[in-house]
C-alpha cells in the first residue's frame, strides 16, 4: 500500500495500553512531522516516550454519542501499517476521556471503516469492542507466494489470515509440533515476518488450541515480540476456527499480557473485545520537537 506524506501532529497526546501493548495517541497539529525517523525517536523507550506504536488522529466529527474519525497508524520502527486492534481501542479510550458521552467510534483507517463500542469505563479501564469485519484466509489474503514460502518453510502448518492487516499463524497441537516458547518465537518470528514470499510482510503468531479458545505468542511486523496484539488475537481465533480446531463462537485468546475475547462467526466475521488502561497524558517539549525536525 502506498501511504500519503507524513502528517503533522500536536505535541500533546496520551498513552494507554491493552494488556501491555501500549500506544501513543497524537492529534493533528503543527508541532512535529511524523517522519519515520521522528516516529522511531518518539517511540524509543530510553530516548523518547516509549511505545509499541503511534495512532495519529487526523480529524473528528461528533454527533451525540457517536464520533467519526480519520486515523493513521505507525510502528515504532517508523513504518506505517493498516490497523491495530489494540491501537484502535486505545484511540477509543483517548476519545472518551475527552468526551465521556461518546459510546460509538467509527474509524477510517488503512482504507477501511471500523466501528468500535465503549461498553464501560471503570477506574480508568475502558471495556472496548471492535468490529474487525470479515476475515480472509489463504495465500491471496496476505499477498503470499505460497509455492516459494512452502518450499522454504515446509516443516510447519502456517495459516495465512487477513483481518485488515496480514498475519501468518503457525499452528501447533498441544505438546507437539512447534513449541510455544520465546526461543521458538525468536527463531520463527524474524524468519517469517519479512519473508521474501510476502509482498508486504506479516505479523506472526505461534498458536495452539485450548479448551476455551487458544494460546499464542506474537511477533509483530515492525515491532518484534509483544505481550499482546488485538489483530493477532483475531487472526489466531480465525485460524483455529477455519482449520476446525475450535468451533465458531466466542474464543478466549491467551497471550503473555493477558486474554482477549474474539467472536468469530461461521462466515468469519470477527469482533474483538477487551480492556484498555489509561496510563498518562504526554506533552513533548519544544526542544524535543525541534530535534525531531533535524533528524534525517
Amino acid at each position: 500500500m502506498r501511504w500519503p506524506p507524513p502528517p503533522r501532529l500536536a505535541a500533546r497526546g496520551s498513552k494507554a495500553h491493552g494488556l501491555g501493548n501500549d500506544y501513543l495517541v497524537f492529534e493533528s497539529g503543527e508541532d512535529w512531522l511524523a517522519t519515520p525517523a521522528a516516529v522511531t525517536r518518539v517511540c524509543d523507550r530510553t530516548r523518547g516516550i516509549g511505545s509499541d506504536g503511534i495512532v495519529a488522529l487526523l480529524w473528528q466529527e461528533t454527533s451525540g454519542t457517536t464520533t467519526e474519525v480519520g486515523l493513521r497508524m505507525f510502528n515504532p520502527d517508523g513504518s506505517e501499517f493498516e490497523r491495530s486492534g489494540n491501537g484502535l481501542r486505545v484511540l477509543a479510550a483517548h476519545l472518551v476521556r475527552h468526551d465521556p458521552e461518546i459510546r460509538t467510534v467509527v474509524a477510517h483507517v488503512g482504507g477501511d471503516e471500523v466501528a468500535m463500542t465503549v461498553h464501560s469505563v471503570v477506574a480508568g479501564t475502558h471495556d472496548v469492542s471492535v468490529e474487525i469485519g470479515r476475515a480472509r484466509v489463504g495465500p491471496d489474503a496476505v499477498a503470499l507466494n505460497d509455492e516459494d514460502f512452502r518450499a522454504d518453510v515446509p516443516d510447519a502448518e502456517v495459516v495465512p489470515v487477513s483481518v485488515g492487516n496480514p498475519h501468518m499463524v503457525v499452528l501447533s497441537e498441544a505438546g507437539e509440533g512447534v513449541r510455544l516458547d520465546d526461543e521458538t518465537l525468536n527463531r520463527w518470528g524474524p524468519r517469517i515476518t519479512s519473508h521474501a514470499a510476502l509482498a508486504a510482510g506479516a505479523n506472526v503468531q505461534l498458536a495452539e488450541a485450548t479448551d476455551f479458545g487458544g494460546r499464542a505468542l506474537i511477533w509483530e511486523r515492525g515491532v518484534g515480540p509483544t505481550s499482546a496484539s488485538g489483530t493477532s488475537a483475531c487472526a489466531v481465533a480465525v485460524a483455529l476456527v477455519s482449520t476446525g480446531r475450535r468451533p465458531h463462537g466466542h474464543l478466549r485468546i491467551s497471550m503473555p499480557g493477558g486474554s482477549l475475547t474474539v467472536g468469530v462467526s461461521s462466515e468469519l466475521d470477527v469482533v474483538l473485545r477487551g480492556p484498555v488502561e489509561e496510563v498518562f497524558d504526554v506533552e513533548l517539549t519544544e526542544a524535543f520537537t525541534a530535534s525531531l525536525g533535524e533528524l534525517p
Side-chain angles (χ1 to χ4, degrees), residues 234 237-238 241 247-251 262-271:
C234 295
V238 168
V241 170
H248 62 81
H250 288 90
L251 284 70
V262 182
V264 182
S265 75
S266 58
E267 296 182 331
L268 301 185
D269 292 310
V270 179
V271 178

Side-chain angles (χ1 to χ4, degrees), residues 179-241:
R179 294 170 55 190
L180 267 69
D181 57 28
D182 291 340
E183 179 182 353
T184 307
L185 180 67
N186 290 333
R187 184 171 69 252
W188 283 92
R191 180 181 179 185
I192 295 177
T193 190
S194 57
H195 197 283
L198 286 160
N203 302 290
V204 180
Q205 302 82 27
L206 308 183
E208 66 183 12
T210 64
D211 290 343
F212 299 102
R215 186 169 71 92
L217 297 178
I218 300 156
W219 187 283
E220 278 199 286
R221 177 184 54 169
V223 182
T226 58
S227 65
S229 164
T231 56
S232 289
C234 295
V236 168
V238 168
L240 294 173
V241 170

Side-chain angles (χ1 to χ4, degrees), residues 11-15 22-26 32 38-52 54 279-285 288 292:
R12 291 184 177 181
S14 67
K15 183 174 180 177
D22 57 345
Y23 281 86
L24 293 161
V25 179
F26 289 102
W32 63 288
V39 168
T40 300
R41 177 65 62 83
V42 172
C43 291
D44 190 287
R45 295 194 182 276
T46 55
R47 297 179 181 272
I49 300 171
S51 77
D52 288 322
I54 289 176
V279 181
F280 54 74
D281 292 321
V282 303
E283 183 172 5
L284 306 178
T285 67
F288 186 80
L292 297 178

Side-chain angles (χ1 to χ4, degrees), residues 110-143:
D112 289 326
E113 183 178 294
V114 182
M116 292 172 276
T117 300
V118 180
H119 300 279
S120 66
V121 183
V122 179
T125 296
H126 302 243
D127 178 10
V128 184
S129 63
V130 184
E131 296 177 17
I132 296 294
R134 182 161 296 179
R136 295 185 296 129
V137 177
D140 290 345
V142 298

Side-chain angles (χ1 to χ4, degrees), residues 26 44 59 74 86 99 131 155 158 173 196-197 199 213 218 240 267:
F26 289 102
D44 190 287
W59 56 266
F74 299 89
N86 282 338
D99 184 352
E131 296 177 17
D155 49 346
V158 183
E173 302 296 341
I218 300 156
L240 294 173
E267 296 182 331

